[in-house]
Amino acid sequence: MDNWEDAFRTAFRGGFSGVLRWPQLDDLWTTIKKNNREGWYIYAIGTPPPVETSSAEDFDHFLNEVDSLLRTEHAEEFCGVVYVDSVSDPSFVKIFDPNNLGVSCGYSDNPPLPGWIISRLQPVDLQAQGPLPGNRRRWWQRLFSR
């Protein structure tokens, strides 16, 4: 295994803080956009991991679209589906699919994988349990077919 693969897997298993409230999610997106929108990998679990970072335009587009998806499909008073390695200096964000939460909030020997990851580290294939569901695959394909 290459060093970048080890680094990604170590970061993936590292400590994360839950973004519990919608205003906290707004603050996270603002912090990420303010610090630098370039140099991020966008990875949809169940698709091949990206080998190049996204453009600032694609990154902004993804953040706007995933934010809209989360607020529409996770119609709760709380967020609770986004986890970040550092609120003040984020470099790794796990975004769980509201339609595949399983026991992400509790303990499990097989916790669900996030739906999407944005990371400063190049992702490795996390071996999704099955193919990307049709609705998510279409959403993902449509996202960058502008």
Side-chain angles (χ1 to χ4, degrees):
M1 196 173 295
D2 294 333
N3 286 339
W4 66 269
E5 291 174 321
D6 288 340
F8 182 84
R9 290 186 191 282
T10 298
F12 180 78
R13 292 185 193 106
F16 286 81
S17 299
V19 178
L20 302 177
R21 305 263 178 237
W22 295 113
Q24 290 174 314
L25 184 61
D26 295 334
D27 292 345
L28 175 62
W29 298 152
T30 298
T31 299
I32 288 172
K33 288 178 180 181
K34 180 180 69 173
N35 287 349
N36 190 350
R37 299 175 347 256
E38 294 180 356
W40 287 90
Y41 292 91
I42 304 171
Y43 177 31
I45 308 301
T47 66
V51 295
E52 294 182 5
T53 59
S54 64
S55 68
E57 179 184 2
D58 283 347
F59 187 69
D60 283 347
H61 182 65
F62 172 77
L63 289 183
N64 291 335
E65 293 296 319
V66 79
D67 184 78
S68 178
L69 181 140
L70 294 177
R71 291 173 194 269
T72 300
E73 296 191 15
H74 188 63
E76 304 288 343
E77 291 182 24
F78 57 91
C79 176
V81 293
V82 177
Y83 294 81
V84 62
D85 62 343
S86 169
V87 174
S88 60
D89 189 22
S91 64
F92 202 116
V93 181
K94 297 178 185 180
I95 305 166
F96 285 84
D97 186 335
N99 292 324
N100 185 30
L101 293 178
V103 291
S104 62
C105 297
Y107 172 79
S108 172
D109 288 335
N110 268 331
L113 291 171
W116 306 273
I117 291 174
I118 56 174
S119 171
R120 295 284 190 183
L121 297 170
Q122 183 179 353
V124 299
D125 191 347
L126 292 178
Q127 305 292 320
Q129 296 296 340
L132 198 60
N135 64 334
R136 288 298 182 245
R137 188 180 62 252
R138 287 185 297 278
W139 179 85
W140 181 251
Q141 290 169 341
R142 199 172 47 245
L143 193 64
F144 297 111
S145 65
R146 307 179 264 138

